Amino acid sequence: MTSPDPLAPRLPSPLQEAGDDRFGRRGLGLLFKRDDLIHPDLIGNKWRKLVPNIAAARGRALVTFGGAYSNHLRATAAAGRLLGLPTTGVVRGQELADRPLNPSLARCAADGMRLHFVDRSTYRRKSEPDTLAGILRAAGAEGAYVVPEGGSNAEAVRGCRALGAELRGHADTVAVACGTGGTLAGLAAGLSAGRRALGIPVLKGGFLEADVLALQERAFGVRSGTWSLDDRFHCGGYARTTPELERFARDFEQRHGLPVERLYVAKLLYGLVTLAEEGAFARGTTIAAVVTGRPFPDAPVVTS
C-alpha cells in the first residue's frame, strides 16, 4: 500500500462569489480564487511554484533565498519537512545572524531549514555566477538544487499556467499580487484568449514588467497572454503598509469573512477597490482576485 502524498493539493482551488456593493453598483462581479486553500503548508502560489521545482530537483537538497519574513522560505522549509529533504535558506541581511529569530525564520528553523545569512550587497548580486558559487560554498550547499527567490523560474511559470486554465470561462480579468512575477507570468499564459491578467506589485521600483516578460520568454519562448501591472499600491514597499491599508483590510475581513494576508493580498484587494471606483473596468466585467496566502502570526506591520 502506497503512502499518501504529503504534498497532495486541493485542485482546482475553490472559486467563491463575493457580493460587494463597491463592485456591484458599478455593474462588476467579484470572485475570490482561494489558492490559500490548496495545501495547509504550501499555501497558494507557493504550491504551484515549488512543486515543479521539487520534481526538477529529483530528490536533491534544496537551497533558496528570501528576506526575514519570506513566505517562500517558510513554504520551502515546510516542503523539506514533509518530504524529508534537506533545505537551506539564504537570508538577506547579515545583521540578522546575531539577533533572535523572528517568528517567520523560527518556523523555517523548526521545519529543519538551515539558515545562512548574507550581507545585503552580496544578496543583490546572488544571480551572478561567481557570487552564487561563493554563497553556496559558504552555506555548505554546493550540491543542492537552487530555487530562486520567490520560487520564480521557468518551471514555476509553467506550473502557474494551470491557475489561468482553472479560471477559463469564469472571469474576464484575473488580478494577483506580485512579488517576483512568476505567478502573473504563468497565470496570463493560461487564460483564454480575450481575457486579461492584472498584476499588483507589492515592491516599489517599477522593474517587474521586464522581469515578467523575461520569465515568460524563458518558460514559453515568447510573451504569452494579455497582462499588465499597476504599480500604485505597494504602500512604500515589501512588508510596508499604512494605517489606511490596515483599516481597509480589517473592514474587508468583516465584510467577507475572509482572512486578509497583509503583505500581498491586502494590497491586491485595496488596488481592485480603487480601480473599480476609478471606473477602470467596463460594466459587466467579472473580476477574479487570486487569494495567494493567509495571515501568518506576528507578520510585520511597518507603516510608511
Side-chain angles (χ1 to χ4, degrees):
M1 183 175 179
T2 59
S3 300
D5 179 1
L7 300 187
R10 179 185 183 184
L11 289 175
S13 58
L15 189 62
Q16 301 173 347
E17 290 189 22
D20 192 310
D21 63 346
R22 295 169 294 187
F23 294 83
R25 64 174 174 259
R26 293 172 172 81
L28 307 174
L30 178 65
L31 304 172
F32 298 141
K33 179 61 169 166
R34 297 294 304 274
D35 263 23
D36 58 315
L37 301 178
I38 285 178
H39 189 277
D41 294 297
L42 277 68
I43 297 167
N45 57 345
K46 302 309 175 190
W47 187 95
R48 295 187 189 273
K49 293 197 287 186
L50 264 177
V51 167
N53 275 283
I54 291 168
R58 299 180 181 274
R60 293 159 60 193
L62 304 175
V63 61
T64 195
F65 305 83
Y69 283 92
S70 169
N71 296 322
H72 170 68
L73 284 183
R74 290 201 309 275
T76 304
R81 169 176 54 81
L82 292 168
L83 296 173
L85 287 175
T87 60
T88 299
V90 178
V91 184
R92 180 179 62 248
Q94 179 63 47
E95 71 278 6
L96 300 174
D98 298 323
R99 300 178 187 173
L101 296 179
N102 67 36
S104 186
L105 293 177
R107 175 71 61 83
C108 292
D111 280 341
M113 175 174 274
R114 290 192 304 117
L115 299 175
H116 177 74
F117 298 88
V118 300
D119 66 84
R120 293 168 188 270
S121 175
T122 300
Y123 191 91
R124 284 193 294 271
R125 303 194 313 274
K126 63 187 179 300
S127 60
E128 299 172 7
D130 289 346
T131 302
L132 176 61
I135 291 172
L136 295 180
R137 281 196 302 273
E142 290 177 277
Y145 177 87
V146 177
V147 182
E149 184 175 23
S152 291
N153 56 12
E155 287 78 13
V157 170
R158 288 190 286 265
C160 288
R161 183 167 47 185
L163 172 59
E166 290 173 23
L167 285 159
R168 291 177 183 173
H170 296 289
D172 304 297
T173 295
V174 181
V176 66
C178 300
T180 51
T183 303
L184 176 65
L187 161 65
L191 291 173
S192 304
R195 305 297 186 262
R196 73 181 183 106
L198 171 64
I200 303 295
V202 302
L203 291 81
K204 64 180 179 180
F207 57 85
L208 202 56
E209 183 170 0
D211 289 356
V212 174
L213 179 58
L215 284 166
Q216 287 198 328
E217 289 176 340
R218 287 199 291 271
F220 310 121
V222 295
R223 182 177 180 126
S224 185
T226 302
W227 54 271
S228 62
L229 295 157
D230 193 317
D231 286 301
R232 294 180 292 158
F233 306 109
H234 54 70
C235 296
Y238 185 71
R240 292 187 174 273
T241 185
T242 63
E244 181 182 7
L245 183 70
E246 182 61 27
R247 287 192 296 271
F248 170 87
R250 288 198 300 266
D251 175 72
F252 206 97
E253 290 175 329
Q254 292 171 359
R255 287 173 183 253
H256 296 286
L258 176 75
V260 176
E261 186 272 335
R262 298 306 201 259
L263 306 188
Y264 288 86
V265 179
K267 295 178 181 182
L268 165 69
L269 297 171
Y270 182 76
L272 288 179
V273 169
T274 302
L275 288 165
E277 292 173 346
E278 292 174 349
F281 305 108
R283 294 187 71 87
T285 298
T286 297
I287 304 157
V290 182
V291 182
T292 50
R294 56 177 177 259
F296 180 73
D298 301 316
V301 177
V302 183
T303 58
S304 59

